[in-house]
Amino acid sequence: MDRRALILGTAVFTAVPTFAAASPEPSAAPPEAVWVTMTGVGLPIFVDGRVRNHVFVELKLHLKPGFAPEQARVKDVIMRDALIRRAHTESFGAPNDYNRVDTRRLAAAVMTIAAAQLGRGNVQRVEVVRQTPRMRVRNPTPPQSR
């Protein structure tokens, strides 16, 4: 028997199970969710040019899979500053409530800031985790109809 054929045949038969075991199987687990939190952002609530209250919010920025959270953390200070500057030009206060923010308007503003700083599409959504008013303020009473 030819030794070359014998060695080549055993090498092929031992390599076949290795390739079959190494074939990638589709993973059933979804990719890990990646997010960055922005804590302690104080936003003024003003009505008719008067500051009525300050609300401190904690935000969770859900990042695109594969985007490194370290890149978002580096820009955290810049995004926080841009958000506070924007909150001083437009109020994020909820209508008829001086103790809460309007989460949709705030999330939309953070998304535009994040798109400018981190790139469009790298932040998938913004979640307002916590809202803490600086003090409890009486809300305006609706006008009574007669």
Side-chain angles (χ1 to χ4, degrees):
M1 181 165 194
D2 189 23
R3 283 194 284 182
R4 287 185 202 163
L6 182 64
I7 293 172
L8 185 61
T10 57
V12 168
F13 286 124
T14 57
V16 169
T18 307
F19 290 123
S23 66
E25 295 181 14
S27 62
E32 286 188 34
V34 181
W35 67 83
V36 175
T37 58
M38 293 176 65
T39 59
V41 181
L43 304 175
I45 306 298
F46 56 88
V47 177
D48 297 329
R50 270 185 72 195
V51 175
R52 301 292 180 171
N53 201 357
H54 284 82
V55 177
F56 295 91
V57 295
E58 180 180 338
L59 303 170
K60 185 184 281 190
L61 279 63
H62 294 270
L63 303 174
K64 162 178 98 170
F67 188 75
E70 291 80 25
Q71 292 176 335
R73 286 188 191 107
V74 168
K75 297 284 188 166
D76 179 57
V77 175
I78 297 169
M79 292 191 309
R80 182 185 305 264
D81 181 57
L83 179 61
I84 291 171
R85 287 178 187 268
R86 188 156 177 189
H88 280 81
T89 59
E90 73 176 270
S91 180
F92 292 118
N96 298 324
D97 192 357
Y98 299 153
N99 300 307
R100 302 187 57 76
V101 295
D102 186 358
T103 57
R104 288 181 187 229
R105 285 192 322 188
L106 179 62
V110 173
M111 286 295 288
T112 58
I113 292 168
Q117 295 298 322
L118 301 175
R120 185 171 298 279
N122 288 327
V123 176
Q124 292 181 332
R125 68 183 175 99
V126 176
E127 179 183 352
V128 179
V129 177
R130 184 176 302 132
Q131 301 181 38
T132 308
R134 181 173 168 236
M135 60 185 162
R136 282 286 180 201
V137 178
R138 181 184 293 174
N139 293 321
T141 56
Q144 302 276 334
S145 62
R146 293 185 182 204

